[in-house]
Amino acid sequence: MLPAEEKPQSKAPQHVDIAIIGGGINGCGIARDAAARGYSVYLCEMNDLASGTSSWSTKLVHGGLRYLEYYEFRLVREALTEREVLMRMAPHLIRPLRFVLPHHKGLRPAWLLRLGLFLYDHIGGRMLLPPTRTLNLASDAAGAPLKPNGGTAFEYSDCRVDDTRLVIANARDATDHGAVIRPRTRAVSAKRIDTQWRVQTVNTSTGAEEIITASVLINAAGPWVGDVLATKLGINAGAKVRLVKGAHIVVRKVFDHDRAYIFQNGDGRIVFAIPYEDDFTLIGTTDTDMDGDPANVAATDADIDYLCHAASEYFAKPIDRSNIVWTFAGVRPLYDDGASDAKSATRDYVFELDEKPGQAPLLSVFGGKITTYRRLAESALAKLGDYLPELSRGRAGISSKAVLPGGDFAVDGLAALQTKLVSDYPFLDAGFARRLARTYGTQASVMLGNARAVSELGLDFGATLHEAEVRYLMTQEWAMTADDIIWRRTKLGLRLSAAQVAKLNAWMQQ
Ligand code: FAD
């Protein structure tokens, strides 16, 4: 054996079946499905996992009632069906939510809403979620925070999702099945050499370069899908992606019950008001075309005014800027179907397969929803089947049967899991246990280990965040900065002070 200093500097690049650019829900979902089927997978993400569009969603796993107006029946049916599939895969991250839709004279007629909700209840194979019902807002608690409107509302089912944790759970599961996941690693170029792609990446923290070869390449770069095609792959994609911005505001909670509202606006759009993180209400979203760098998108004064105004049309107590604790905005990387306005552009996913005889293929992903990411992953792999090893093809469909990390408990068992955590770790109060159950599912006890007192969790960073959790997130979930922890792996950023965040960051950088 050669002494260390005499070892050859350059080793042959690692070869994988599938290389993926982009660590959002679509890239990580494909990585998980592919790795579970037995393919070798390499995924690079230029920032933190889930730091792109997948962290800026309205956080719903939903059929998309509004898409029925645009005759998107395929998408709505698939999305409705996915709700219960995803609930079973990760009941801590995807939880049922009832939506109250007040009927408003002069907007969509009641018969149209009834028809839409009838379809919603019946086309998606609903088994767990309760059906639609009609409410009298004069007597139901859902009417209490609203301006009097003449009385009627519809209440229907969808789900909420912890979008960023769903991405990370998929990345974790992909790794558990052997995938290589590289956050903070930018794809800088990819070249086709006959039946292989040669992909060059750079670690954005250390500057280290890596070269891998792959039988197929998947461009799941979300809003950057066109940028990756044009500047990293040298392929002229034309104008296929339509960037549509959506902003949200988070305010101190404006109502006490656990249902969400879906409000119709005079401009034909809809705005959600969703109970969020126990003490807050999430209000969104807008729909505006944008150009420029998707990384620099933020909620503007106009976005904030629009959302405050839309919600105040319905809530008896007006929402103004003084209520706001957080704002965020993201960019939908929609497929450009030529629709005239942003709200009617298709939300369905579209693939572009670039294949030439005797050459390695490239699959680019446009559009999609968090809700349909698992089906998108299955379809992506089906498209690439001819280029992948025969051995693994028979294992398609694996992603609907296997639970995600932490999700191995009954679909309606979250409250029981929380009770068990309090019984196993009596130092947890109800709020702390609820947060851990919702964040980690059954993995909460792995994170807590053998602790018998809160002091055994180590340094206290505030808002129930302790050293044990930070260490777990750094070693098991790729966290490197305070923002990774307080915005993407938890939402404790809503509760921690600037000084507490600075202390956490300093400790993590030690
Ligand atoms: P992203 O999450 O953006 O991931 C792409 C990743 O690629 C990024 O992290 C980026 O850093 C990385 N990348 C780019 N270039 C490179 C490179 N050169 N090298 C390495 N990495 C690179 N869907 C729902 O189902 N429910 C909702 O409630 C919902 N609400 C939404 C609300 C808004 C305002 C928006 C904007 C979207 C919403 N969506 C919703 C849609 C959903 O969020 C997106 O469809 C989904 O997150 C897109 O995921 P993605 O993986 O394609 O993109």
Side-chain angles (χ1 to χ4, degrees), residues 21-28 44-62 67 161 163 185-188 220-225 227-228 232 244-248 285-286 328-333 365 367-372:
I21 301 175
I25 191 63
N26 289 329
C28 292
C44 64
E45 161 54 52
M46 64 181 175
N47 297 313
D48 186 19
L49 295 169
S51 57
T53 306
S54 300
S55 54
W56 308 126
S57 83
T58 311
K59 303 172 200 318
L60 300 178
V61 157
H62 63 154
Y67 311 146
V161 58
D163 51 5
T185 303
R186 182 190 299 271
V188 289
W224 295 268
V225 62
D227 170 68
V228 165
K232 314 294 184 279
V244 175
K245 185 179 120 176
H248 297 83
T285 171
T286 57
F328 62 87
V331 179
R332 303 173 180 87
V365 177
K369 306 274 304 162
I370 295 211
T371 308
T372 50

Side-chain angles (χ1 to χ4, degrees), residues 214-364:
S215 305
V216 308
L217 178 62
I218 298 180
N219 174 5
W224 295 268
V225 62
D227 170 68
V228 165
L229 281 167
T231 68
K232 314 294 184 279
L233 310 180
I235 294 174
N236 180 9
K240 295 207 179 68
V241 66
R242 179 170 183 174
L243 300 181
V244 175
K245 185 179 120 176
H248 297 83
I249 56 176
V250 175
V251 297
R252 294 204 185 286
K253 79 172 169 183
V254 287
F255 52 91
D256 278 327
H257 58 79
D258 61 357
R259 289 169 280 174
Y261 293 98
I262 169 170
F263 297 139
Q264 309 176 67
N265 298 345
D267 62 3
R269 298 212 58 259
I270 47 114
V271 163
F272 293 101
I274 303 166
Y276 190 57
E277 296 287 322
D278 292 332
D279 299 321
F280 305 94
T281 304
L282 169 66
I283 299 175
T285 171
T286 57
D287 252 322
T288 45
D289 279 308
M290 67 154 282
D291 47 28
D293 185 352
N296 297 331
V297 68
T300 61
D301 284 347
D303 295 328
I304 294 170
D305 288 345
Y306 177 90
L307 293 171
C308 286
H309 177 76
S312 302
E313 287 283 295
Y314 283 85
F315 286 120
K317 202 164 161 230
I319 309 289
D320 63 36
R321 282 163 182 268
S322 66
N323 302 99
I324 297 176
V325 294
W326 187 38
T327 65
F328 62 87
V331 179
R332 303 173 180 87
L334 303 183
Y335 182 73
D336 192 353
D337 61 356
S340 54
D341 68 332
K343 74 175 185 300
S344 56
T346 182
R347 265 55 175 167
D348 213 344
Y349 52 83
V350 175
F351 297 121
E352 189 170 86
L353 182 60
D354 179 315
E355 53 182 349
K356 296 185 184 75
Q359 298 223 311
L362 163 71
L363 186 83
S364 296

Side-chain angles (χ1 to χ4, degrees), residues 58-340:
T58 311
K59 303 172 200 318
L60 300 178
V61 157
H62 63 154
L65 191 55
R66 196 173 61 80
Y67 311 146
L68 287 173
E69 289 182 325
Y70 300 104
Y71 309 112
E72 297 234 34
F73 295 113
R74 194 213 73 79
L75 171 64
V76 176
R77 180 198 298 267
E78 184 171 288
L80 286 169
T81 310
E82 278 305 280
R83 296 177 307 183
E84 297 191 8
V85 175
L86 298 183
M87 274 168 64
R88 291 180 203 274
M89 271 167 47
H92 54 311
L93 303 180
I94 295 112
R95 296 181 280 126
L97 185 60
R98 296 286 283 172
F99 286 76
V100 175
L101 164 57
H103 172 241
H104 198 297
K105 282 204 184 75
L107 298 179
R108 292 167 186 86
W111 68 263
L112 184 66
L113 298 178
R114 273 202 190 90
L115 175 65
L117 288 165
F118 177 83
L119 289 173
Y120 216 70
D121 271 353
H122 290 93
I123 64 175
R126 184 180 49 81
M127 287 164 74
L128 300 171
L129 295 166
T132 300
R133 64 179 184 133
T134 306
L135 294 185
N136 179 353
L137 288 177
S139 55
D140 191 282
L146 303 182
K147 292 176 184 169
N149 83 331
T152 308
F154 301 97
E155 186 190 285
Y156 68 93
S157 288
D158 262 325
C159 295
R160 70 174 94 210
V161 58
D162 188 330
D163 51 5
T164 48
R165 289 208 59 78
L166 184 65
V167 176
I168 286 157
N170 274 276
R172 181 71 258 161
D173 205 37
T175 310
D176 293 346
H177 285 93
V180 174
I181 304 286
R182 293 259 196 276
R184 293 187 160 87
T185 303
R186 182 190 299 271
V188 289
S189 80
K191 291 194 172 51
R192 231 183 211 131
I193 301 168
D194 302 328
T195 56
Q196 287 189 353
W197 281 97
R198 186 173 186 276
V199 184
Q200 186 183 358
T201 63
V202 173
N203 183 306
T204 56
S205 307
T206 64
E209 291 186 3
E210 188 173 29
I211 291 175
I212 55 125
T213 60
S215 305
V216 308
L217 178 62
I218 298 180
N219 174 5
W224 295 268
V225 62
D227 170 68
V228 165
L229 281 167
T231 68
K232 314 294 184 279
L233 310 180
I235 294 174
N236 180 9
K240 295 207 179 68
V241 66
R242 179 170 183 174
L243 300 181
V244 175
K245 185 179 120 176
H248 297 83
I249 56 176
V250 175
V251 297
R252 294 204 185 286
K253 79 172 169 183
V254 287
F255 52 91
D256 278 327
H257 58 79
D258 61 357
R259 289 169 280 174
Y261 293 98
I262 169 170
F263 297 139
Q264 309 176 67
N265 298 345
D267 62 3
R269 298 212 58 259
I270 47 114
V271 163
F272 293 101
I274 303 166
Y276 190 57
E277 296 287 322
D278 292 332
D279 299 321
F280 305 94
T281 304
L282 169 66
I283 299 175
T285 171
T286 57
D287 252 322
T288 45
D289 279 308
M290 67 154 282
D291 47 28
D293 185 352
N296 297 331
V297 68
T300 61
D301 284 347
D303 295 328
I304 294 170
D305 288 345
Y306 177 90
L307 293 171
C308 286
H309 177 76
S312 302
E313 287 283 295
Y314 283 85
F315 286 120
K317 202 164 161 230
I319 309 289
D320 63 36
R321 282 163 182 268
S322 66
N323 302 99
I324 297 176
V325 294
W326 187 38
T327 65
F328 62 87
V331 179
R332 303 173 180 87
L334 303 183
Y335 182 73
D336 192 353
D337 61 356
S340 54

